[in-house]
Amino acid sequence: MFTKRLKEARLALDISQRELGRRIGLSEDVVSSRVTRYERGTSEPDFETASKLAKELGVPLAYLLADTDTLADIILAAASLPPGEQRKLAAQLRSKSRR
């Protein structure tokens, strides 16, 4: 799921794999190939790199790592809310999950 969301988020910004690699500080000799491997799932970024990718793509890291598309959608929607609304939503979800 990480690979799919990484690629979708990059394409939504309309940037190349090379550009994304540059933006997160990868060395010039590996920028394109490294991001390609992340998107294909042949290599996994370490936590720090995954965090940099998420930040550069403007999405929460949890969105990239979510187990399901539904959970990813919830994370992305919640992240776009102001902090007060996020707290309300979290309280509502906790209340629903206790039932």
Side-chain angles (χ1 to χ4, degrees), residues 6-17:
L6 175 64
K7 184 174 183 177
E8 287 174 353
R10 179 183 60 77
L11 292 174
L13 287 180
D14 196 29
I15 60 173
S16 68
Q17 293 171 333

Side-chain angles (χ1 to χ4, degrees), residues 48-77:
E48 181 181 348
T49 303
S51 294
K52 287 178 183 179
L53 287 165
K55 183 176 181 180
E56 192 57 47
L57 294 168
V59 298
L61 178 56
Y63 166 76
L64 294 176
L65 300 174
D67 292 331
T68 67
D69 287 336
T70 301
L71 185 55
D73 290 343
I74 291 168
I75 291 166
L76 201 54

